[in-house]
Amino acid sequence: MGSSEPASGAARPRRGMDLTTQRAIGPAVRLLCQVRLVVLAFALVLATLDGAGWLGVFLVVLAAPFSFVPALNWDTRGRVYARNGILLAGDIVVAVVALIPLAGSPLMAVYAAATAALWGLFAGLRLGLVMAVPLCLFQVTAFEPSWRGFVTGFSGATLTAVMTWTGTMLGRRLRKQATITAELAATREHRAVLAERLRLARDLHDTVAGDLAGLSLATRGLADRLAREGASPSTIDVARGLSDAVQTAHRHTRSALGELRDESRGVTGPVTDIARRWTERTGIPLDVTVRAGADEIIGPGRARHIRAVVTELLENIRKHSGASRVDVLVTTTGPAAELLVTDDGRGLPDEVPATSGYGLRGIRERAALCGGDVIWAPAPGGGTSVRVFLPAEPEGLPGDPADDASGVVSHQLPRVPSGVRGPTAEVA
C-alpha cells in the first residue's frame, strides 16, 4: 500500500520579495521617500525663484509620484514595485531628471543619497550600485570644471555609493530582525497550541474516555446477563447494539486522544498506518506514495498537519465521494511539503464554498496557519484532487511537550456505573 519514491514534485519557486521583507523595510522605504519629497518641494521653490520656467517645474512634478506613491501604499504594493523592471528603470531615469533643477545645489547630493539608499534597501548591493551609476556620473559632471567642482561632484558620487551600501545593510538588518520576530511569535504560538492540546487530551481522558470505557464494560455485561436470563432476542439485540455503539464511540475518543497527544512521528509510517486502517474499515483500495527522505526533510510541525489533513480528507472521501480508489502522494520541494490526495468519486461542485463543513474549513485553517494554501480541482478522469502546500517549517521550534515527562498522562481504570457488573477486563 505504501511506497517511497525520489520524485521531487512540482517546483514552486519563491521569487522576489516576500511579505515579511516587504513589511520589515516598509518604514525605512516610507522615510526615504518622504526625504525625496521634501527635497523635491525645495527644488520646486528653487525652480520658481530662479526663473527656471515650466521645464523645471515639470521635471519636479514628474519625479514626485515615484516617491509619493510608494510612501502611500508600500505595505500593500511593495513587492510589485520591487520586482517590476519597468518601474525600477523609470525611477532611475526620473531620479537623474530630478537632479537637473538641483544641479549645483547641496540638495542634489541629499536627493541622490536618499535615492541610492532606497535602491540598496530593496534591491540589494549589486543591483543598487548599478542603478546608482547614472546618479554618480551626473554629480561628477554637474559642477563647473574646476578643482572645487570636481571635489564636490566626486564627494557627492562617493556619498551616493556609500548610501547604497548603507541602505543594503539596513535592509539586511531589518529582514533579520523581522525573521527573528516571526520565529519567536511562531515558537510562542506553537507552545501555546501544544499546551492547549495536551490540556484537552488530559480532560478528555479523565472524563469522556473513562466514562465511555466504563459504559462499554457495563453494556457488554448487560447483554451477557440478558442472554443468560433468557430475555427475548430483540432485547438482547438492542443491548448488543448499544454495546457496539458505545465501543465505537470509545474507539473514536481514543483516536481523538491520540491525535491530540500526537505520539507518532514523521510522515511515511503514520500516513501508511492511517491508510491501512482506513482501507480495512472501508474496503476501498488506497495507495500511498511518499518521497524518499521526506521524514528527514519535513519538520515535526508540518508532519503533524499532514497526518491530520490526510485523516480528514479520507474521512470526507468515505462520507461523500463514493470513490472506488484513492491515491495519496507526499512530495517535497526543498524543505517545503506538498500533499496530493486524489479519488475517482463523484467529485466536488465547481467551487468549494468558503462556508463548507468544518472538516474542509479545518484543512484551510491548517494550511493558512503554516502560510500555505489548499487547491481543490477535478481529477483527471473524474473525481477530486486536493493539493495542500505547506512551506518550510521555521527553524528552532521547540519540541513537543508530549515528549516531556510532565506531559505524560497516566492511564486510569474505567469507571463502571454502580449496580452493574461486567466482565473483568482492563481498558487502556
Side-chain angles (χ1 to χ4, degrees):
M1 183 189 303
S3 62
S4 297
E5 65 171 18
S8 60
R12 296 178 64 109
R14 299 279 173 165
R15 298 180 178 178
M17 180 183 299
D18 56 27
L19 184 59
T20 301
T21 299
Q22 173 182 299
R23 293 174 177 173
I25 68 176
V29 169
R30 286 191 292 271
L31 177 61
L32 292 171
C33 288
Q34 291 166 3
V35 170
R36 297 206 304 179
L37 286 173
V38 171
V39 174
L40 289 176
F42 278 106
L44 182 61
V45 173
L46 292 176
T48 304
L49 295 179
D50 293 344
W54 290 106
L55 178 60
V57 174
F58 172 76
L59 295 178
V60 173
V61 172
L62 178 65
F66 284 83
S67 297
F68 176 76
V69 175
L72 184 65
N73 59 6
W74 176 267
D75 287 340
T76 57
R77 305 289 293 174
R79 287 179 292 177
V80 177
Y81 302 147
R83 64 170 176 253
N84 192 309
I86 296 177
L87 290 178
L88 294 178
D91 196 24
I92 296 174
V93 175
V94 170
V96 175
V97 169
L99 295 182
I100 296 176
L102 298 171
S105 169
L107 293 176
M108 179 176 66
V110 176
Y111 188 88
T115 301
L118 180 65
W119 292 342
L121 188 65
F122 65 79
L125 183 58
R126 293 182 180 178
L127 182 58
L129 288 174
V130 172
M131 296 171 66
V133 168
L135 299 180
C136 296
L137 293 177
F138 183 87
Q139 291 181 89
V140 170
T141 59
F143 292 91
E144 297 179 357
S146 63
W147 177 253
R148 181 174 181 177
F150 174 77
V151 172
T152 304
F154 182 79
S155 299
T158 303
L159 176 63
T160 300
V162 171
M163 289 303 294
T164 305
W165 177 84
T166 302
T168 301
M169 295 299 105
L170 176 62
R172 291 177 181 176
R173 288 184 177 273
L174 291 175
R175 293 182 184 94
K176 184 177 180 180
Q177 182 180 5
T179 301
I180 293 175
T181 302
E183 290 179 354
L184 289 176
T187 299
R188 288 193 294 268
E189 183 178 9
H190 185 74
R191 287 186 179 276
V193 169
L194 291 177
E196 180 65 13
R197 284 172 46 217
L198 284 177
R199 185 190 68 80
L200 290 173
R202 285 193 295 267
D203 292 346
L204 190 61
H205 182 275
D206 295 339
T207 56
V208 178
D211 292 339
L212 287 175
L215 286 173
S216 177
L217 291 176
T219 53
R220 277 189 292 171
L222 176 62
D224 294 341
R225 181 173 180 177
L226 290 174
R228 288 195 304 269
E229 295 180 354
S232 64
S234 61
T235 303
I236 297 175
D237 290 341
V238 170
R240 288 176 176 169
L242 177 61
S243 176
D244 292 340
V246 173
Q247 290 180 38
T248 301
H250 184 240
R251 286 197 302 270
H252 289 172
T253 303
R254 300 299 300 178
S255 177
L257 277 172
E259 174 62 24
L260 285 171
R261 291 191 54 77
D262 199 13
E263 296 170 350
S264 56
R265 293 293 181 267
V267 175
T268 306
V271 170
T272 302
D273 290 340
I274 292 171
R276 176 182 52 78
R277 292 194 298 268
W278 186 81
T279 297
E280 292 174 353
R281 189 170 77 253
T282 63
I284 301 175
L286 194 158
D287 183 70
V288 177
T289 304
V290 181
R291 178 188 175 181
D295 292 328
E296 290 74 27
I297 296 174
I298 300 175
R302 298 296 186 260
R304 183 182 305 111
H305 287 299
I306 289 175
R307 296 194 295 269
V309 169
V310 168
T311 301
E312 181 55 45
L313 287 176
L314 292 180
E315 186 65 14
N316 192 70
I317 291 172
R318 181 187 68 83
K319 292 179 178 178
H320 307 295
S321 73
S324 61
R325 179 175 178 80
V326 181
D327 293 291
V328 175
L329 173 65
V330 180
T331 61
T332 56
T333 303
E338 188 167 328
L339 169 68
L340 178 64
V341 178
T342 307
D343 67 73
D344 61 354
R346 63 178 60 95
L348 290 170
D350 293 337
E351 181 178 355
V352 180
T355 57
S356 54
Y358 288 106
L360 301 186
R361 189 182 309 171
I363 294 173
R364 286 194 182 95
E365 290 172 351
R366 286 181 180 274
L369 182 65
C370 301
D373 55 18
V374 184
I375 299 175
W376 278 268
T384 304
S385 172
V386 182
R387 187 181 300 272
V388 182
F389 176 77
L390 303 179
E393 184 170 333
E395 296 180 0
L397 287 179
D400 194 328
D403 296 335
D404 301 334
S406 59
V408 176
V409 180
S410 59
H411 292 283
Q412 68 175 89
L413 291 178
R415 294 189 286 274
V416 182
S418 60
V420 180
R421 293 192 60 186
T424 304
E426 206 175 277
V427 179

